[in-house]
Amino acid sequence: MWDLTVKIGGEGGEGVISAGDFLTEACARAGYWVVNFKSFPAEIKGGYAQSVVRVSDERLFSTGDSFDVLCCFNGEAYEFNKKHLVGGTVMVYDSSDFEPEDHDGVIMYPVPLSYLARDVMKAYITKNVIALGVLCGLLDVPVEPIKESIKAKFGRKGSQVVDMNLRALELGLDFAKRELTKRDPYRFPPAKEPMDVVIMEGNQAIAKGAVVAGCKFYAAYPITPATTVGNYIVEDLIRTGGWLYQAEDEIASLGMALGASFAGVKAMTATSGPGLSLMTEFLSYSGMTELPVVIVDVQRVGPATGMPTKHEQGDLYHAVFGGHGEFPRAVLAPISVEDSFYMTIEAFNLAEKYQIPVILLTDASMSLRTESFPSPRLKDIKIVDRWVYKASEDPEGRFRRAGRFLRYALFTSDGITPMGTPGDPDAIHAVTGLERQENSDPRNRPDVRTWQMEKRFKKLEKLLREDAERFYEIDGPFDKAELGLITWGLTASVTKEAVRRLRNRGVKVNALYIKLLYPLRGDVVERFAERCERVVVPESNWSGQLATLLRAFSHVRPISYCVYRGEPFIPKEIEDLVVYLLENPTLTEGRLTPSHLYGEKSYGLI
Amino acid sequence: MLKPADYRSDVEPTWCAGCGDFGVLAAITRAFAELGLEPHRVVSVSGIGCSSRLPLFLKNYSIHTLHGRAIPVAIGVKLARPDLTVIVETGDGDLFSIGAGHNPHAARRNVDITVLCMDNQVYGLTKNQVSPTSREWLYGSLTPYGSIDRPLNPIATMLAFGATFVAQTYAGNLQHMTYVIKEAIKHRGFSFVNIISPCPTFNRVDTFQYYKGKVKDINQLGHDPSSYEAALRVAFHDLDHYYDPEAPVPIGIFYRVQMETYEERMAKVKARYGGLEDLQEIIDACKPKRV
C-alpha cells in the first residue's frame, strides 16, 4: 500500500485550505484515493489554519496518525507542529519568514515563499500556489491535474488570474527542481486512469443526500459547524423546486420543518448541540404528532458554547433520550463522508416510512472532512415516499368515520396509518400534541392513552424488525477474537484503519460499527460480543455514551474508553488501546481514559 | 353554498360559558362561509391556551402546536403550499410572551398568513396569571399584590414590525369581527387582527360589560387605513384604555398596504433558478473538475 500524508499549515486567509483542496482534487484526478481534513480557528481571519491531505492507492478511512510532509507557511505553523517532527519527516518551510531549530533526522527544505510571492511574482496572494508548485516538484505530484484544478477554480475570475496562478505553480516547480536536492523517499507514483469518484465534504454529502432523498424544505439557523449543510443545500434545493428559509431561531426552524411536513413535503433542519437543546420541545412534539422530519446534529464540544469548532461525540444521550415524555424516534450516525450521503437518505426513508423524527448525528471533524468515494448512482438508490391517503384505495372507508379522517387510527397492526395532505377533501383532519382519539379529538382517558402509546411504539418494533440490521456493520472474521471493538461515528472510521493494522500484526480483533444508535438491536450486539473475549467501546466523550446504551439495551458489559480533548481519535491510539488491554487481561469492565494508557502524556494531531 | 355550520367539526368546545372565544368561532365560520373558502384548502394553526383549542373545533386541516409556536409552523405550511389559506388562531400569551420572537420576522417578511389573536388579557388555561396585555395592577395567581408590569400594545407592536394589515375587533360584535376577519384573510401578505375576547372566569376587569359602549369603530370615525403615520397615532392612543378606564377602545382596520409577499418573491427566485430534472447532475458536479 502506497500512502502519503501532507500537512499544510499557515495563517488563516493565506490560502492554506485552498492549497489543500487543489492537492486533494488533483490526487483524485490522478486516480488515487484521498481524504482531506481541514481546521481553522473560530476567528474570521488570522489564527492558525491547516489542511491535511492523505493520499493512497487503497481506500482510506482516516487521515492517519501524523504527517510525512509538513509545509509551513509561517513560524506559527512550525510552532504548532514541531513536536510531531520525527526522524524521516520532511519539512518545507518559508525561509523568508523564520528559521527552524535543529531536528534530528528531519529533512528540511527551505523555500523563500514570501520572497518569491512578493518580489518575484509581485502578488503575495500566489504564495499558496507557489508552495503547491514546490510540493509538486519535490514529490512528483502529477502536475496536469493541478493545472486543471487551477483552471477550473479561477476560470470564473478571468484568464489573467488563471495565467498568474499557472505561472506561480511553474515558479514553485522550477524552484524545487533547481534549488532543492531531493533527500527524502517520498514520491508520487505516476498518474493512473481516474476512477469514477466524487469528492465531498461531510456537510456537503448530507446536503446532497437530502436533495436526492426528495427534501423540499430546509429551515436554517446558523450554528457552527452545522451551517454549511445549509450553504451546500440552498442552490440544489431551489434548483429542484424546494426552498430554504432562514429562521429566527432553532425553535422556529424545527417548527417550520414540521409545518412543511404537515403540508406534505419532506423537510429537514440541521443544527449543533445548543440548537438541538432549543429544538427539543418540538422534537417531542413531532414524535407525538407522528410528523416525519429529519434533524441533523453536527456535534461539537459542549456543554453550553464549549469549543464550537472542535470534535466530540457528546450529544448521543440528548439525541436518544432528549425530550419530554416518551415517543418513537430513530438516531442514525454515519461513519464517513460517503456514509453521510447514504445515511441522510436513510434518515428520510425511516422518517417517512415510520412517521417519526430521525436524528442524524455527525460531528465537527466529519463536517470538515473531504473524502473521495465511488460516484453514487441515483437510479440504484431506494427512496421511500410518504403513505398518502387516497380515498380510492380505501373503498370500505376504514380510515374515515362519521365523515372524519382517522389520522390516528388504531386498527393497523404496525401502528402506521396514512397521512392526509391539506388540499385533499377526503382527508381533512387535525393534528395535535394532546393525547387523542383516532379522529384527533383530544382525550385524557386511560384506555385511549394506553392504546395510542402502544400504536406509536409499534412503529419502533417494526423498525427493529424490518430496518435495523443493515445499520450494523460487522467486521468479525474471528470466531473467538481477543478483543471486540464497538464504535460509532467518526471514531468508527479511525477504528477501521487500526483494525487493519492490528490484524497485520497478528492480533485477532473483531469490529462492529453501529450506525443505528436508537432503537438499538441488542441481539445483534450480543451475538457480536459472544464472539469476542472482551468488548471495548472507544468514544470521544467523557461518560462513554454508547457503552451506556449498550449496557441499557443489551446484556453486553463493555469496557469504555473515553477521550474528551476536542480532537478525533487517531488510529495509533486505538491500536495502543488494544495492546494495553491485551497486556491487562483482568480488565473486563469499567472506564478507561488516555491517562491509563499514557500517564500524563497527551496524544493526537494538533 | 357552504354555511357557517359546515366549517364546524363535531368536537365540542371546552370553553367556559360566556367566553368571548365562542363569538370568535362564530365569526370565523361566518367569514369562511361568506368568502366561500373550501374547508380542505384552509389550514388552521394554533399554539397553546384556551384560544388555541379553536382549530380543533373547525372542520378544516388544522394543527394544534406548542405554546407560542404557531407562527413558525404556519410559515412552514405556507411556504410548502403557497396555494393554501393559512390562518393562525391563537392568544395574547402565545403571541406576545413566549412566542414573541416569531412575530417580527413573519411580519417583516410579509408571509401571507392571517394571525388572529384572541386577546383576553389573561392566562386562562393555567388559571389566572397576568399576560403581556394585562392592564396594570390586575390581580393574578402570581401577582397577588396586583401586576406592576406595564402592558404591551399589540397594535403598535405589529405596526412597528412591518405587518401590512393590522386591525382590532371585539368579540361582542359579531358583524364587525366577521368583516375584519374577512378583510384580513383577503389581504395578500401578513395580516394581524387583535380580537378583544373577554375571559368571564378570571378577568373581572376587562369584561363584556366594560367594553360595551366603549368600543369605537375608527374607520367610521374617519380613520384612513392607508396612512402609516395615522395608524401609529391611533395605535398609541388605543393603549389609553389600559390606564384610563373611561377611554374609548378603538376597533377597525388601523393599517392596510399592499406589498409584494414573501411567497411572491420566493416564486420569482424559484422560477429563475428552478427546473432541474435530473438529480444525477448535482452528484456529478462533485466529480473532480474537468475543463
Side-chain angles (χ1 to χ4, degrees):
Chain A
M1 173 182 173
W2 172 79
D3 180 2
L4 182 71
T5 304
V6 179
K7 183 182 204 175
I8 305 169
E11 190 176 301
E14 274 192 313
V16 172
I17 303 297
S18 52
D21 288 347
F22 280 136
L23 200 54
T24 303
E25 199 171 287
C27 293
R29 291 260 297 118
Y32 297 98
W33 294 103
V34 62
V35 176
N36 166 325
F37 174 74
K38 44 201 133 187
S39 70
F40 31 82
E43 287 85 40
I44 290 170
K45 268 207 185 289
Y48 172 64
Q50 66 176 22
S51 181
V52 180
V53 185
R54 185 171 180 208
V55 202
S56 175
D57 54 4
E58 275 184 39
R59 188 73 195 272
L60 290 168
F61 301 109
S62 84
T63 43
D65 296 326
S66 188
F67 48 83
D68 305 304
V69 178
L70 174 68
C71 180
C72 289
F73 279 22
N74 62 11
E76 193 187 8
Y78 167 68
E79 291 298 326
F80 263 98
N81 290 290
K82 66 179 182 188
K83 72 171 176 185
H84 299 294
L85 290 169
V86 294
T89 311
V90 165
M91 185 167 96
V92 175
Y93 66 97
D94 185 355
S95 56
S96 41
D97 189 76
F98 69 100
E99 268 310 312
E101 303 152 25
D102 278 337
H103 293 273
D104 205 17
V106 175
I107 304 149
M108 300 279 191
Y109 294 110
V111 182
L113 290 171
S114 297
Y115 164 79
L116 292 173
R118 199 179 290 121
D119 298 325
V120 181
M121 281 302 299
K122 311 270 186 228
Y124 190 70
I125 51 165
T126 58
K127 180 174 167 181
N128 65 334
V129 180
I130 296 170
L132 198 60
V134 172
L135 290 174
C136 289
L138 202 59
L139 305 170
D140 286 339
V141 179
V143 178
E144 279 314 307
I146 299 257
K147 287 184 178 167
E148 300 271 296
S149 298
I150 287 175
K151 285 179 200 160
K153 164 115 185 219
F154 295 116
R156 263 193 294 179
K157 294 185 176 174
S159 58
Q160 265 186 316
V161 179
V162 173
D163 289 345
M164 180 175 75
N165 280 286
L166 290 177
R167 274 186 287 122
L169 187 75
E170 291 294 344
L171 181 69
L173 274 166
D174 270 4
F175 185 91
K177 298 276 185 240
R178 246 177 325 110
E179 309 280 338
L180 304 178
T181 314
K182 189 156 173 84
R183 286 171 282 132
D184 66 79
Y186 303 116
R187 182 157 288 160
F188 265 68
K192 299 191 293 185
E193 186 60 29
M195 297 175 287
D196 185 17
V197 293
V198 289
I199 307 177
M200 288 189 201
E201 215 171 85
N203 280 354
Q204 187 178 17
I206 294 172
K208 298 280 178 189
V211 176
V212 168
C215 177
K216 288 284 183 281
F217 184 79
Y218 182 98
Y221 187 78
I223 181 167
T224 303
T227 312
T228 54
V229 177
N231 299 355
Y232 279 120
I233 205 172
V234 59
E235 285 184 40
D236 287 344
L237 200 57
I238 296 171
R239 288 174 73 203
T240 53
W243 191 249
L244 179 143
Y245 188 91
Q246 185 181 327
E248 56 270 18
D249 56 41
E250 286 93 343
I251 300 172
S253 298
L254 186 51
M256 284 162 184
L258 291 172
S261 181
F262 173 72
V265 310
K266 293 186 184 179
M268 173 166 109
T269 184
T271 189
S272 189
L276 186 66
S277 296
L278 287 178
M279 288 177 183
T280 307
E281 189 191 21
F282 259 131
L283 173 66
S284 290
Y285 178 82
S286 77
M288 181 59 160
T289 52
E290 307 189 33
L291 288 170
V293 71
V294 174
I295 303 160
V296 178
D297 176 23
V298 186
Q299 301 167 95
R300 63 189 211 185
V301 178
T305 28
M307 299 200 289
T309 58
K310 300 295 178 188
H311 164 94
E312 193 167 85
Q313 299 180 289
D315 294 349
L316 181 57
Y317 287 159
H318 192 133
V320 171
F321 298 120
H324 56 289
E326 299 168 301
F327 55 93
R329 71 180 97 190
V331 179
L332 286 173
I335 64 172
S336 65
V337 174
E338 177 180 27
D339 215 30
S340 297
F341 175 79
Y342 290 106
M343 283 300 124
T344 306
I345 297 169
E346 292 277 14
F348 275 95
N349 286 351
L350 294 181
E352 294 294 335
K353 178 171 175 184
Y354 295 100
Q355 301 167 11
I356 52 172
V358 178
I359 299 172
L360 186 78
L361 280 178
T362 73
D363 66 72
S365 290
M366 188 117 74
S367 75
L368 282 175
R369 181 161 131 179
T370 308
E371 235 177 65
S372 57
F373 61 89
S375 289
R377 240 180 290 280
L378 298 192
K379 60 174 173 40
D380 302 336
I381 294 174
K382 186 171 159 251
I383 304 293
V384 175
D385 283 316
R386 184 170 294 191
W387 182 14
V388 177
Y389 179 73
K390 288 194 191 73
S392 58
E393 291 169 5
D394 181 31
E396 296 154 36
R398 292 201 314 153
F399 288 101
R400 291 164 60 87
R401 197 174 300 150
R404 296 183 78 189
F405 174 64
L406 303 182
R407 173 67 186 97
Y408 301 110
L410 289 164
F411 53 77
T412 61
S413 61
D414 54 12
I416 303 172
T417 55
M419 294 183 70
T421 313
D424 175 2
D426 297 319
I428 293 177
H429 69 280
V431 156
T432 171
L434 293 167
E435 194 57 273
R436 63 267 153 161
Q437 294 189 310
E438 293 179 288
N439 63 2
S440 308
D441 189 0
R443 274 295 178 280
N444 286 331
R445 269 174 24 199
D447 53 350
V448 171
R449 168 68 176 174
T450 307
W451 295 330
Q452 287 291 349
M453 282 296 273
E454 285 168 1
K455 167 203 171 355
R456 288 191 290 271
F457 278 96
K458 268 184 207 162
K459 299 193 290 185
L460 274 201
E461 290 163 22
K462 181 186 170 87
L463 193 159
L464 279 173
R465 231 172 24 241
E466 289 183 12
D467 286 291
E469 212 153 353
R470 66 176 180 275
F471 297 106
Y472 294 79
E473 190 180 319
I474 298 170
D475 176 15
F478 304 106
D479 281 337
K480 207 68 196 173
E482 291 165 278
L483 264 175
L485 287 155
I486 304 181
T487 59
W488 66 287
L490 192 70
T491 308
S493 69
V494 177
T495 302
K496 280 191 174 180
E497 177 154 349
V499 163
R500 184 158 69 182
R501 295 188 202 169
L502 284 159
R503 288 189 190 147
N504 285 344
R505 293 163 58 167
V507 183
K508 288 181 176 174
V509 278
N510 285 341
L512 169 63
Y513 309 109
I514 300 186
K515 302 176 188 182
L516 178 67
L517 295 149
Y518 186 86
L520 199 85
R521 274 289 294 268
D523 60 324
V524 173
V525 182
E526 283 161 9
R527 278 204 306 276
F528 171 81
E530 278 163 16
R531 296 172 52 245
C532 310
E533 304 266 359
R534 284 178 289 169
V535 176
V536 61
V537 181
E539 293 177 81
S540 301
N541 55 47
W542 193 88
S543 48
Q545 300 193 3
L546 174 60
T548 305
L549 290 190
L550 296 181
R551 288 179 201 118
F553 297 117
S554 78
H555 293 107
V556 177
R557 293 288 171 275
I559 303 161
S560 188
Y561 183 60
C562 303
V563 172
Y564 31 84
R565 58 175 178 239
E567 287 168 4
F569 280 85
I570 58 173
K572 171 86 165 54
E573 209 170 4
I574 306 277
E575 271 187 282
D576 290 352
L577 169 67
V578 170
V579 169
Y580 176 84
L581 288 172
L582 294 179
E583 286 166 358
N584 292 276
T586 52
L587 273 174
T588 54
E589 263 189 64
R591 175 176 174 272
L592 297 172
T593 69
S595 62
H596 291 95
L597 271 65
Y598 305 113
E600 292 305 307
K601 191 179 160 197
S602 69
Y603 222 78
L605 280 173
I606 294 175
Chain B
M1 273 295 283
L2 287 157
K3 298 183 296 298
D6 297 327
Y7 295 91
R8 280 290 313 279
S9 75
D10 48 3
V11 178
E12 280 309 310
T14 42
W15 297 315
C16 308
C19 177
D21 293 349
F22 282 106
V24 181
L25 179 61
I28 288 173
T29 53
R30 267 180 62 167
F32 284 2
E34 287 175 23
L35 290 172
L37 294 178
E38 296 172 292
H40 60 277
R41 302 191 57 78
V42 178
V43 178
S44 287
V45 188
S46 67
I48 293 298
C50 296
S51 57
S52 288
R53 290 291 178 98
L54 193 143
L56 300 173
F57 314 140
L58 290 173
K59 194 163 74 186
N60 54 28
Y61 280 91
S62 48
I63 173 162
H64 178 222
T65 71
L66 295 167
H67 196 26
R69 311 299 167 204
I71 284 186
V73 175
I75 290 175
V77 173
K78 186 68 187 178
L79 298 192
R81 291 289 303 278
D83 57 307
L84 302 173
T85 301
V86 179
I87 299 169
V88 171
E89 290 122 347
T90 183
D92 45 311
D94 258 10
L95 279 173
F96 295 107
S97 193
I98 183 169
H102 304 305
N103 306 342
H105 308 286
R108 75 183 168 91
R109 284 163 147 162
N110 204 23
V111 180
D112 184 15
I113 58 176
T114 297
V115 178
L116 307 177
C117 173
M118 286 162 251
D119 182 4
N120 59 5
Q121 296 157 267
V122 75
Y123 281 83
L125 206 58
T126 49
K127 300 203 170 75
N128 197 20
Q129 294 80 32
V130 295
S131 90
T133 55
S134 294
R135 65 178 58 243
E136 292 176 314
W137 303 112
L138 189 77
Y139 290 93
S141 70
L142 300 174
T143 49
Y145 41 78
S147 171
I148 59 172
D149 302 338
R150 287 165 60 85
L152 174 144
N153 180 335
I155 303 294
T157 306
M158 297 311 292
L159 281 170
F161 291 155
T164 51
F165 181 103
V166 179
Q168 179 155 273
T169 181
Y170 165 56
N173 187 338
L174 182 62
Q175 207 179 345
H176 191 263
M177 269 195 295
T178 310
Y179 164 73
V180 170
I181 292 169
K182 271 165 61 183
E183 292 304 302
I185 294 173
K186 282 196 291 188
H187 177 72
R188 239 173 59 247
F190 184 87
S191 49
F192 171 76
V193 183
N194 199 54
I195 308 176
I196 296 165
S197 177
C199 169
T201 305
F202 294 116
N203 193 332
R204 303 296 168 83
V205 183
D206 303 282
T207 58
F208 279 107
Q209 185 86 34
Y210 168 81
Y211 283 107
K212 197 175 174 191
K214 280 208 185 61
V215 291
K216 296 275 184 299
D217 186 338
I218 52 169
N219 302 114
Q220 281 182 2
L221 295 173
H223 172 70
D224 170 15
S226 68
S227 162
Y228 188 65
E229 286 72 22
L232 279 175
R233 209 161 41 239
V234 186
F236 279 108
H237 281 293
D238 98 307
L239 200 62
D240 283 357
H241 72 273
Y242 289 120
Y243 303 100
D244 174 7
E246 302 304 317
V249 180
I251 59 171
I253 298 170
F254 286 71
Y255 186 55
R256 168 158 57 190
V257 64
Q258 199 57 62
M259 285 163 103
E260 201 170 33
T261 67
Y262 185 90
E263 300 85 277
E264 286 163 353
R265 293 182 170 197
M266 175 175 85
K268 279 185 186 170
V269 175
K270 282 188 176 186
R272 203 181 317 151
Y273 297 103
L276 179 74
E277 298 210 335
D278 185 7
L279 284 178
Q280 188 69 44
E281 210 176 288
I282 69 166
I283 300 300
D284 293 346
C286 297
K287 292 186 173 181
K289 286 185 190 64
R290 282 140 212 273
V291 184

